[in-house]
């Protein structure tokens, strides 16, 4: 299948998902020319703000592979990934992300991902959610123990 075919499938998943109580987003993860996993937006259906189509597909693909790394895979998504999904793709080591609609199309549909892209470019002091650090004596203890653990899985 071609990039166009995989993207068409992602869009079809998004369309089908609307009728199933989910949002208008679909994703497909492909490795070695084969479908590894699919995902559809389940945010409103499952009351899970992290259940974006891309994240659902990444979770399924990693479970299927038995590994947190999706190196060598491509993520096809019906719409440009929001910052959450883009970060998940980066953490999963996905090689390539290909999308159909963009953030402006999403905004027209009532999903203003642009607001988050713009927010991340501003000083945290101006964010609606307060994000702050507080020093505690044991703050680095988990990292110290992690570094001293010989059989840790590097990522």
């Amino acid at each position: 299948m071609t990039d166009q075919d995989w993207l068409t499938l992602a869009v079809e998943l998004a369309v089908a998902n609307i009728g199933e109580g989910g949002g208008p987003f679909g994703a497909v993860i492909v490795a070695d020319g084969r479908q590894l996993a699919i995902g559809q937006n389940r945010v409103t259906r499952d009351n899970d703000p992290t259940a974006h189509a891309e994240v659902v597909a990444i979770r399924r693909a990693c479970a299927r592979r038995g590994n947190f790394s999706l190196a060598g895979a491509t993520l096809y998504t019906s719409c440009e990934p929001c910052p959450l999904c883009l970060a998940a793709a980066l953490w999963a080591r996905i090689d390539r992300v290909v999308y159909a609609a963009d953030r402006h199309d999403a905004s027209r549909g009532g999903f203003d991902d642009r607001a988050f892209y713009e927010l991340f470019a501003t000083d945290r002091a101006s964010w609606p959610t307060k994000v702050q650090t507080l020093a505690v004596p044991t703050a680095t203890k988990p990292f110290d123990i992690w570094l001293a653990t010989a059989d840790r899985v590097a990522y």
Side-chain angles (χ1 to χ4, degrees), residues 65-141:
R65 259 198 183 171
N67 195 313
F68 61 85
S69 174
L70 295 176
T74 298
L75 169 63
Y76 295 93
T77 181
S78 62
C79 188
E80 180 180 5
C82 72
L84 168 75
C85 296
L86 191 54
L90 292 168
W91 277 112
R93 276 67 167 177
I94 288 176
D95 283 9
R96 192 166 69 115
V97 176
V98 182
Y99 61 89
D102 66 18
R103 65 182 81 174
H104 307 290
D105 298 314
S107 179
R108 188 178 62 77
F111 299 89
D112 200 358
D113 299 349
R114 292 179 309 172
F116 289 107
Y117 281 103
E118 292 167 4
L119 179 68
F120 291 140
T122 65
D123 185 317
R124 284 185 183 177
S126 67
W127 290 13
T129 300
K130 298 294 179 210
V131 179
Q132 61 191 95
T133 185
L134 178 62
V136 295
T138 57
T140 62
K141 185 175 181 178

Side-chain angles (χ1 to χ4, degrees), residues 30-53:
V30 175
D32 300 318
R34 299 158 97 175
Q35 179 180 305
L36 188 58
I38 63 168
Q40 293 166 297
N41 182 283
R42 301 296 195 206
V43 171
T44 56
R45 194 197 78 172
D46 295 351
N47 295 316
D48 179 351
T50 68
H52 292 203

